[in-house]
Amino acid sequence: MNPPSTRQDSQVDRTSANGAPSPLEIHDLTVAYHKKPVLYGIDLTVPAGTLVGIIGPNGAGKSTLIKAIMGQLPATSGWVRIFGQSFKEACTRVGYVPQRESVDWDFPVSVMDVVLMGRYGRLGLFKRPRLEDHDIARACLEKVKMLPFASRQIGNLSGGQQQRVFLARALAQESDLYLMDEPFAGVDAATESAIVMLLQELKTRGKTLLVVHHDLATAKDYFDNLLLLNMRLVAFGKTADVFTQEILQKTYGGRLTILSEVADTVRRQT
Amino acid sequence: MSLIPPFDFQRVFVEPWAEGGALHGWILAMAVLVGMACGLVGNYLLLRRMALIGDAISHSVLPGLVLAFMLAHSRHIGVMFAGALAAGLVTVFLIEFIHKKSRVKPDAAICITFTTLFAIGVVLTSLIDKGGLHIDAECILYGEIAFVPLEPPVKILGRALGPQPVLQMLGVTAGVVVLIVLFYKELLASSFDPGLTASLGFNVTAMHYGLMAALSIVVVSAFEAVGAIMVVAMLIIPGMTAAQLSDHLATRHWLVGVHSILSGLLGLHLSVWLNCSMAGAMVLTGAGFFVLAWLFSPSQGMIHRWRRPDAPGDTVSQFQ
């Protein structure tokens, strides 16, 4: 039961004021699992150089949104444009950090091997990583303070270290738009602040970042823009404008435990 | 008369190579090639948690072969490969289809698919039998590697190169090695993190079906030698042994090669000693090597874990 879309397709206007296409533009995106919609009519234009936190209750479709942007889940309707192109055309400009639990950490690869995978997209078929790719991978590992672990098998790392390896891999992709799925999940405090600093640094370098986040208490400190999601796009804008009791209630509505958590958070804020 | 024949070094280790040395040479070559091709593909099956898919395809290849034979009235290698490929891909597709379109869990979907396809093969086989052609059910299940050297040789320019199944297996094994060298990084990335690999612009689905196609070809070539059941062991045991010894995929590939040579050679002598099925003896030897690796691996063996419970190699650190 898709809501009938009455909006005009605005395919023509895909550029921002200065003429450069927006890093991410989503129009009327609907995604369904087994014919049951999980995302409804998402409309979104993300300006370049913004750090966006995606928050919402469990099952709100946060990861689904990320996967749909990358075309890994078929859209029932709507379209996604990345720098004015389809994902396929622009995929080398997109860096992706999947959820840490999505891979098998017993896999026979070293930390270095994993970071080098970030270079594979630029290499294309058949080509092996060159010396230059190894240098970039090493620099990225250095950036997340994991260079001493380069030759370790990835299973012998703590959760925080594993997350740093994933971030180093995303850095090695040298992208302009980053999509990160719960990079803060299950990491230690040191890693958490290291990630925050890294996100800020990427933002100042003009990168655009969309980060799925589950912790309301820290969301407003970490991100200057928030996207509140609950199957529909509830709100998207500057954190100061959208992190309000009314919008949070609309996003998390009906869930008592979370509601009280929200109330606490907002009370602390004011 | 005892159950186990007495061990006689001369009879077990020397005589096979003295008289009929060429015969045993071809058998050994076949065993090693089967072990290598299966083990290399098996490495990826293990990494993708698809060991059961290997089991499924090894059985569902039967109806593919029979149908291809019925349609083309030929036992030409191309026909057999086409039948096996079609069967393998249909199996994988059916398993995914049943899993996606119902509430059946993946393991159950695998079981119902391959047993049903195998049953179709069994029924078709008996129908063909009535038509005057014979397919040996025992050979399908257990294979008969000892008969491999007796197959007609392949001749090029009038010179006999060797028995057809061995040369065919040589071609298939070489093909597997070439594919792994060409697609090493794509196979590695798509096995480890399919989500990222797809986001990098690689076609993960094509990699998956390509691997399944290679698996089908390997299985159908190994079929004649080791049969539908033993081929599963050949797919899984070398990779499992290698996994005990190394945390590096390329090293595991090399170890699979060593494993196939050792288990082929010792398995051959074991079967001479016990006067038993050669495929069975080779799988037993291979499993023996797995147990040894499991116990004595310097990095993750049982003994090592027992002596150093906090040693790296344990997965505890993952949950910190």
Side-chain angles (χ1 to χ4, degrees):
Chain A
M1 32 167 247
N2 296 337
S5 167
T6 50
R7 273 161 300 197
Q8 291 275 307
D9 258 23
S10 56
Q11 287 256 10
V12 226
D13 181 30
R14 223 177 273 141
T15 53
S16 60
N18 58 10
S22 154
L24 174 66
E25 193 185 351
I26 301 177
H27 177 70
D28 191 31
L29 182 74
T30 297
V31 180
Y33 270 129
H34 297 287
K35 297 196 173 147
K36 224 175 104 196
V38 279
L39 282 178
Y40 265 127
I42 308 283
D43 272 298
L44 182 69
T45 304
V46 181
T50 42
L51 169 55
V52 184
I54 303 177
I55 58 174
N58 287 334
K62 302 185 293 278
S63 297
T64 305
L65 178 62
I66 299 273
K67 286 185 181 135
I69 290 171
M70 297 189 300
Q72 291 183 9
L73 292 171
T76 317
S77 75
W79 46 259
V80 175
R81 291 264 138 186
I82 289 156
F83 299 104
Q85 293 175 304
S86 72
F87 180 80
K88 249 202 157 92
E89 292 163 324
C91 68
T92 49
R93 299 186 70 181
V94 183
Y96 173 45
V97 179
Q99 286 188 19
R100 193 159 51 84
E101 310 90 85
S102 69
V103 305
D104 171 12
W105 290 91
D106 284 336
F107 205 89
V109 281
S110 68
V111 166
M112 190 64 179
D113 293 333
V114 173
V115 179
L116 278 173
M117 284 178 196
R119 305 297 304 162
Y120 285 7
R122 285 168 190 271
L123 289 172
L125 277 177
F126 305 125
K127 293 200 191 70
R128 293 286 172 91
R130 301 150 298 179
L131 213 61
E132 180 195 334
D133 298 304
H134 281 87
D135 289 343
I136 292 170
R138 257 192 297 277
C140 295
L141 276 173
E142 179 68 58
K143 195 142 210 138
V144 297
K145 303 201 174 64
M146 285 295 290
L147 193 54
F149 300 89
S151 56
R152 280 254 199 124
Q153 194 269 330
I154 52 169
N156 301 321
L157 303 172
S158 72
Q161 291 171 327
Q162 290 175 344
Q163 195 62 64
R164 286 163 189 243
V165 173
F166 263 16
L167 283 166
R169 183 176 69 177
L171 290 178
Q173 288 186 253
E174 297 186 322
S175 312
D176 300 308
L177 170 67
Y178 285 94
L179 307 171
M180 305 188 177
D181 204 344
E182 301 249 15
F184 294 103
V187 304
D188 51 289
T191 302
E192 183 145 352
S193 57
I195 298 176
V196 172
M197 272 164 61
L198 192 67
L199 297 182
Q200 288 294 341
E201 192 207 312
L202 286 168
K203 192 195 79 177
T204 33
R205 276 166 46 198
K207 314 286 186 187
T208 310
L209 303 104
L210 270 79
V211 181
V212 175
H213 193 55
H214 64 286
D215 184 13
L216 270 183
T218 52
K220 80 173 184 7
D221 303 324
Y222 289 175
F223 305 105
D224 33 46
N225 285 273
L226 284 179
L227 191 162
L228 292 101
L229 194 70
N230 192 351
M231 292 177 73
R232 293 169 187 277
L233 181 67
V234 181
F236 171 55
K238 293 248 176 297
T239 305
D241 301 333
V242 297
F243 201 79
T244 63
Q245 183 153 20
E246 192 201 339
I247 292 176
L248 287 170
Q249 231 156 29
K250 223 169 137 191
T251 313
Y252 289 87
R255 290 159 198 253
L256 281 177
T257 48
I258 294 172
L259 262 185
S260 60
E261 190 187 316
V262 170
D264 280 353
T265 316
V266 173
R267 212 172 297 133
R268 245 180 287 135
Q269 185 189 18
T270 49
Chain B
M1 155 184 166
S2 70
L3 199 59
I4 297 176
F7 180 77
D8 172 1
F9 185 85
Q10 185 73 14
R11 182 181 77 81
V12 172
F13 280 99
V14 181
E15 277 172 27
W17 303 108
E19 48 171 301
L23 204 72
H24 286 105
W26 288 120
I27 293 173
L28 179 62
M30 185 70 180
V32 171
L33 289 170
V34 167
M36 273 185 198
C38 288
L40 287 173
V41 175
N43 265 340
Y44 290 101
L45 293 185
L46 286 170
L47 290 178
R48 292 167 173 245
R49 309 197 172 183
M50 287 170 64
L52 274 177
I53 300 272
D55 193 5
I57 288 188
S58 71
H59 284 78
S60 59
V61 151
L62 175 66
L65 289 182
V66 180
L67 272 176
F69 179 75
M70 286 168 81
L71 290 174
H73 296 285
S74 151
R75 277 188 66 184
H76 187 268
I77 165 174
V79 174
M80 294 292 115
F81 275 7
L85 262 183
L89 296 181
V90 164
T91 310
V92 176
F93 176 79
L94 271 181
I95 290 169
E96 277 160 20
F97 187 76
I98 292 174
H99 171 53
K100 273 187 195 149
K101 298 285 172 188
S102 72
R103 296 170 72 183
V104 176
K105 300 287 178 234
D107 55 342
I110 291 173
C111 286
I112 188 161
T113 307
F114 88 79
T115 48
T116 307
L117 287 172
F118 190 68
I120 293 174
V122 171
V123 170
L124 284 177
T125 312
S126 12
L127 290 182
I128 293 186
D129 268 358
K130 282 174 202 146
L133 275 153
H134 186 65
I135 291 181
D136 187 359
E138 201 153 300
C139 185
I140 288 165
L141 285 178
Y142 310 120
E144 199 33 273
I145 199 167
F147 290 165
V148 160
L150 310 177
E151 293 279 328
V154 176
K155 284 186 182 153
I156 289 179
L157 300 173
R159 280 189 60 185
L161 291 176
Q164 192 261 335
V166 182
L167 291 180
Q168 178 184 326
M169 200 66 226
L170 178 67
V172 169
T173 310
V176 169
V177 171
V178 167
L179 283 177
I180 288 180
V181 170
L182 279 180
F183 293 104
Y184 183 80
K185 95 174 184 298
E186 287 79 9
L187 281 167
L188 180 78
S190 68
S191 303
F192 173 61
D193 192 342
L196 173 93
T197 312
S199 86
L200 292 173
F202 294 102
N203 190 337
V204 178
T205 316
M207 300 301 294
H208 173 66
Y209 278 97
L211 183 65
M212 293 301 104
L215 172 64
S216 307
I217 294 291
V218 166
V219 163
V220 74
S221 309
F223 213 67
E224 190 168 8
V226 292
I229 295 176
M230 294 303 177
V231 78
V232 185
M234 298 296 221
L235 285 168
I236 300 309
I237 292 175
M240 280 176 62
T241 311
Q244 301 303 313
L245 300 171
S246 169
D247 271 335
H248 184 233
L249 182 58
T251 313
R252 286 191 188 177
H253 287 332
W254 287 107
L255 286 170
V256 158
V258 174
H259 183 274
S260 62
I261 293 171
L262 287 179
S263 60
L265 189 63
L266 287 181
L268 182 119
H269 289 296
L270 181 67
S271 83
V272 171
W273 173 26
L274 300 178
N275 202 11
C276 67
S277 150
M278 215 164 272
M282 282 164 186
V283 169
L284 269 184
T285 320
F289 282 122
F290 166 72
V291 173
L292 287 180
W294 181 34
L295 288 176
F296 298 108
S297 161
S299 60
Q300 45 198 322
M302 294 285 276
I303 307 271
H304 174 75
R305 278 168 196 246
W306 173 63
R307 287 177 54 184
R308 288 184 53 193
D310 58 338
D314 276 1
T315 44
V316 184
S317 55
Q318 201 175 319
F319 303 106
Q320 279 174 4

